[in-house]
Amino acid sequence: MDAHGKAVLRKQLKRKDVVSFFANLEPCLIGLEACGSAHYWARKLGALGHDARLMAPQFVKPYVKTNKNDRNDAEAICEAVARPNMRFVPVKLPEQQAVLALHRARQGFVRSRTAQANQIRGLLAEFGIVIPKGLGHVAKRLPEILEDGENGLPAMMRQLIERLGEHLTALDRQVKEMQSQITLWHRENEQSRRLEEIAGFGPISASAFVATVGDAKGFKNARQVAAWLGMVPRHEGTGGKSRLGRISKRGDGYLRTLLIHGARSVIAQIERKPDQADEWLKKLLARRNKNIAAVALAAKNARVAWALLAHGRSFDPDHVAIRPAA
């Protein structure tokens, strides 16, 4: 499209022809939906001199006219990328994507490990052998069950449980190796180490936050980060009346889960040692239940993490924010 929004070229490209086509094109603004391989193509097109911008699909959808097809989608992307108030997705660097790939792989192994442990518990329960919930109980009881010759397990079942136990051990080893790689990257990254000083942040959550956020200055303020992670109330209003609902749960669910789990660990520690809680958290726990307090603390930690990254500071638990003069 030209500057007036009129279509000047419509061309369908194969994947192998994309780079050569844009290499022979004058530098221009290119809009892409943020989907699989979008960050790769944004870097590729940016290296050719173009201004490639990624947009969330839900922001492009309102511009699609009539039926959905590739032609109408391309026209909608052109309309959306030219809007002055459009929100764009920061293009991730290869290093960021590599770290996040480790996180996703580790998350998959953790899920498989939990599923395998539950399968072992369920199969043994059919033979009257009950193992308490928890991966530690399964790992502890499994050798005893296999060595006990009087528990009534048939030979075929005993071989099956032994095989499933070996698979569980292999999954656990993969999780630990992935976690070691993430921890190694965390120790070599200054920004990630800086976030670890915040209560509720560990190597996993700190590295995930740094790799996901990227350039923190892309957010205007700390509240935008909390809203981007879906930890602010859903706002609806009409006719001058506003109504706040539950948290929106938008954005990266994996990172939001890590932050909330970190907040839960802080609250659990405070329950054991109440003297270590600050006044803000004490007052919050006094008037709200632990689940709401955990989400509020996670949102606060996200804001603090953004401030450390955006301003290049180290964490100070006694820091007092000063509102700038009008």
Side-chain angles (χ1 to χ4, degrees), residues 11 52 71 86 94 118 123 139 170 182 197 221 239 284 325-326:
K11 184 179 180 63
R71 182 188 182 95
M86 178 55 61
N118 289 335
L123 292 175
I182 294 173
E197 300 298 325
N221 51 51
L284 180 62

Side-chain angles (χ1 to χ4, degrees), residues 19-326:
V19 175
S20 59
F21 173 80
F22 283 101
N24 297 321
L25 195 66
E26 291 293 329
C28 60
L29 174 63
I30 302 176
L32 301 94
E33 282 189 340
C35 58
S37 73
H39 291 276
Y40 165 79
W41 286 112
R43 293 194 302 266
K44 201 76 172 178
L45 297 174
L48 298 175
H50 299 288
D51 183 10
R53 301 183 183 181
L54 302 181
M55 298 168 290
Q58 62 264 30
F59 294 155
V60 179
K61 180 64 177 177
Y63 296 94
V64 178
K65 301 182 182 67
T66 64
N67 300 323
K68 174 180 172 59
N69 53 48
D70 293 341
R71 182 188 182 95
N72 292 337
D73 278 349
E75 184 177 350
I77 292 173
C78 283
E79 292 281 352
V81 75
R83 298 301 92 199
N85 58 346
M86 178 55 61
R87 302 175 189 174
F88 298 104
V89 178
V91 180
K92 286 183 172 55
L93 300 175
E95 182 185 10
Q96 292 176 267
Q97 286 189 288
V99 175
L100 292 177
L102 277 176
H103 277 273
R104 292 299 187 269
R106 175 186 172 275
Q107 183 187 22
F109 282 124
V110 169
R111 289 178 178 176
S112 299
R113 182 182 63 180
T114 304
Q116 184 62 84
N118 289 335
Q119 185 185 40
I120 292 175
R121 291 179 58 253
L123 292 175
L124 288 176
E126 297 294 331
F127 292 86
I129 302 174
V130 179
I131 300 178
K133 292 182 180 180
L135 188 64
H137 292 291
V138 177
K140 180 180 179 180
R141 291 286 308 280
L142 210 56
E144 300 175 1
I145 294 172
L146 293 175
E147 292 176 3
D148 186 4
E150 300 179 357
N151 53 17
L153 278 181
M156 182 182 298
M157 186 64 186
R158 198 176 298 274
Q159 293 177 0
L160 175 61
I161 295 300
E162 183 178 3
R163 176 174 296 183
L164 295 180
E166 293 175 355
H167 185 217
L168 180 63
T169 303
L171 291 173
D172 188 57
R173 184 179 66 254
Q174 292 284 0
V175 172
K176 292 179 180 179
E177 291 177 357
M178 291 287 181
Q179 187 163 344
S180 299
Q181 289 182 326
I182 294 173
T183 304
L184 180 62
W185 184 90
H186 160 77
R187 291 174 179 172
E188 296 175 352
N189 188 279
E190 180 185 358
Q191 292 181 327
S192 185
R193 293 198 310 270
R194 198 183 303 160
L195 297 188
E196 193 179 13
E197 300 298 325
I198 306 173
F201 269 83
I204 299 296
S205 54
S207 59
F209 192 92
V210 171
T212 304
V213 172
D215 185 9
K217 295 182 179 179
F219 298 92
K220 293 183 180 180
N221 51 51
R223 190 185 186 281
Q224 285 192 353
V225 178
W228 173 66
L229 289 173
M231 293 188 292
V232 297
R234 185 185 296 272
H235 178 271
E236 294 180 354
T238 183
K241 298 181 180 179
S242 299
R243 182 174 57 188
L244 298 179
R246 299 180 178 180
I247 60 173
S248 62
K249 294 186 179 181
R250 295 173 179 171
D252 193 330
Y254 173 72
L255 181 57
R256 182 174 61 250
T257 301
L258 290 179
L259 294 178
I260 293 177
H261 283 341
R264 290 184 190 277
S265 66
V266 173
I267 293 175
Q269 183 178 4
I270 289 174
E271 290 179 343
R272 295 191 298 268
K273 300 178 180 178
D275 298 336
Q276 296 183 358
D278 58 5
E279 291 300 323
W280 177 84
L281 191 54
K282 284 182 180 179
K283 294 179 181 179
L284 180 62
L285 290 171
R287 68 178 189 271
R288 296 290 187 179
N289 62 57
K290 291 191 293 184
N291 292 332
I292 295 178
V295 176
L297 180 58
K300 180 182 179 181
N301 286 344
R303 294 186 178 202
V304 173
W306 174 86
L308 298 184
L309 296 179
H311 302 296
R313 300 175 182 173
S314 298
F315 179 68
D316 181 11
D318 299 326
H319 176 75
V320 178
I322 301 177
R323 191 180 297 274

